[in-house]
């Protein structure tokens, strides 16, 4: 008889869940040869892949470099310039400035970048449970050490005005969640995200959205100079900064329609009431410094 090891995704009542199939086998409801067959096929795949000889990943490979490249390619530039004119562009951001503000609840938080199903079922908050680079940390790495980069989670307008920042990178969105734990009837961003206007009304601001789904952002669009959807970028915040400073170009496109309000939902391309904030497939593109030089 093949030893049957159950691997399940039941987070709470797992003891009862495991006991149920055991009892079904003992009472001949599920034949033992059916259990052996299923288990044997799983083990065959693992033996074929060599997981019993080499169960761990090869850390000599450039996993983080590959993850950083993926981030650069899937994030989407939704707005660039208050009015969208060629003379009004905000991105690429200049590196040679005196002082930069990095703000927002998600700007220095690896857990928020990674989302749910990271380390724990509902994800985590903070920088202590995995290795990576936050957007705040990546900003400091990307520019000269002589430039002052200040982080403040939720600065007020007076603080922003009095510090003479060249611009602000504001990172907001949703907190990590999985399954039904964060079902929402209104799809709003987490506090203090809505207070993004405190910054954007006082200095040129680039808003970065970290979220695993589309959320309501229409009320803030007019006050934002540039807007980037980075979804859940994981551990490599440097991939985001790569495109903000034009080391690489923006190329990502929206996989679905971004609505204005939840009252529009459901809304799909081709609907008679199709009136999106951003249509499916939308995404502004930019060229990298290398592309401009070689063009």
């Amino acid at each position: 008889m093949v030893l049957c090891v159950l691997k399940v995704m039941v987070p709470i009542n797992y003891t009862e869940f495991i006991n149920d199939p055991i009892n079904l086998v003992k009472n001949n409801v599920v034949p033992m040869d059916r259990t052996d067959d299923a288990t044997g096929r799983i083990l065959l795949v693992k033996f074929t892949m060599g997981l019993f000889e080499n169960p761990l990943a090869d850390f000599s490979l450039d996993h983080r470099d590959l993850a950083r490249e993926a981030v650069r390619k899937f994030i989407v530039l939704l707005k660039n310039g208050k009015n969208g004119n060629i003379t009004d562009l905000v991105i690429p951001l200049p590196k040679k400035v005196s002082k930069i503000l990095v703000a927002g609840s998600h700007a220095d938080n690896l857990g928020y970048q990674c989302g749910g199903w990271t380390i724990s079922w509902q994800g985590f908050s903070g920088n202590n449970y995995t290795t990576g680079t936050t957007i705040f940390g990546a900003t400091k790495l990307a520019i000269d050490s002589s430039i002052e980069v200040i982080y403040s989670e939720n600065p007020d307008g007076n603080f922003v005005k009095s510090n003479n920042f060249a611009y602000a990178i504001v990172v907001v969105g949703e907190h990590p969640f999985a399954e039904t734990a964060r079902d929402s009837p209104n799809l709003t961003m987490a506090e203090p995200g809505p207070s993004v206007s405190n910054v954007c009304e006082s200095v040129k601001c680039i808003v970065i959205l970290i979220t695993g789904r589309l959320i309501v952002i229409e009320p803030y669009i007019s006050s934002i100079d540039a807007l980037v959807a980075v979804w859940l970028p994981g551990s490599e915040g440097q991939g985001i900064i790569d495109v903000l400073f034009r080391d690489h170009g923006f190329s990502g496109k929206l996989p679905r329609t971004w609505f204005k309000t939840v009252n529009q939902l459901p809304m799909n391309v081709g609907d008679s009431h199709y009136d999106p904030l951003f249509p499916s497939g939308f995404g502004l593109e930019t060229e990298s410094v290398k592309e401009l030089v070689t063009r």
Side-chain angles (χ1 to χ4, degrees), residues 195-256:
S195 62
V196 63
S197 57
N198 290 339
V199 177
C200 295
E201 290 174 0
S202 305
V203 68
K204 185 179 294 185
C205 76
I206 301 86
V207 173
I208 296 175
L209 291 173
I210 292 182
T211 173
R213 59 188 170 185
L214 306 182
I215 58 175
V216 175
I217 55 173
E218 196 274 338
Y220 316 108
I221 290 292
S222 60
S223 64
I224 293 171
D225 293 279
L227 178 64
V228 184
V230 302
W231 317 115
L232 297 174
S235 63
E236 304 312 307
Q238 285 179 287
I240 299 164
I241 299 304
D242 287 342
V243 289
L244 290 185
F245 287 123
R246 208 181 217 170
D247 297 319
H248 295 266
F250 275 96
S251 60
K253 304 295 180 182
L254 286 181
R256 61 175 301 123

Side-chain angles (χ1 to χ4, degrees), residues 29-233:
V29 176
V30 175
M32 194 63 217
D33 58 357
R34 176 67 183 88
T35 304
D36 289 347
D37 173 65
T39 306
R41 284 185 280 113
I42 293 171
L43 292 174
L44 177 62
V45 171
K46 291 186 176 183
F47 275 118
T48 303
M49 294 178 66
L51 292 181
F52 288 95
E53 292 78 16
N54 300 291
L56 302 178
D58 184 353
F59 289 101
S60 68
L61 300 177
D62 295 326
H63 298 100
R64 291 185 59 184
D65 287 344
L66 183 61
R68 180 175 175 178
E69 179 185 355
V71 171
R72 292 195 296 261
K73 291 181 176 179
F74 68 63
I75 64 178
V76 184
L77 180 59
L78 297 173
K79 181 178 181 180
N80 190 11
K82 270 265 182 11
N83 301 310
N85 299 325
I86 190 68
T87 58
D88 192 37
L89 300 181
V90 179
I91 295 172
L93 298 177
K95 290 185 179 181
K96 296 181 179 180
V97 295
S98 58
K99 190 186 298 186
I100 300 171
L101 172 64
V102 179
S105 54
H106 292 53
D108 193 29
N109 196 309
L110 280 177
Y112 287 1
Q113 286 180 198
C114 292
W117 290 111
T118 303
I119 309 299
S120 67
W121 178 35
Q122 294 295 322
F124 65 96
S125 175
N127 302 325
N128 297 326
Y129 299 101
T130 192
T131 301
T133 308
T134 67
I135 294 172
F136 171 55
T139 303
K140 292 194 295 182
L141 289 172
I143 60 177
D144 191 272
S145 59
S146 63
I147 298 172
E148 191 174 3
V149 182
I150 295 177
Y151 170 68
S152 177
E153 181 176 346
N154 188 24
D156 60 31
N158 291 330
F159 171 82
V160 178
K161 292 175 183 177
S162 63
N163 272 277
N164 196 31
F165 294 109
Y167 53 82
I169 299 174
V170 183
V171 194
V172 292
E174 290 190 296
H175 295 155
F177 67 93
E179 300 179 359
T180 60
R182 197 66 50 78
D183 282 0
S184 171
N186 47 35
L187 294 175
T188 54
M189 70 175 70
E191 294 288 352
S195 62
V196 63
S197 57
N198 290 339
V199 177
C200 295
E201 290 174 0
S202 305
V203 68
K204 185 179 294 185
C205 76
I206 301 86
V207 173
I208 296 175
L209 291 173
I210 292 182
T211 173
R213 59 188 170 185
L214 306 182
I215 58 175
V216 175
I217 55 173
E218 196 274 338
Y220 316 108
I221 290 292
S222 60
S223 64
I224 293 171
D225 293 279
L227 178 64
V228 184
V230 302
W231 317 115
L232 297 174

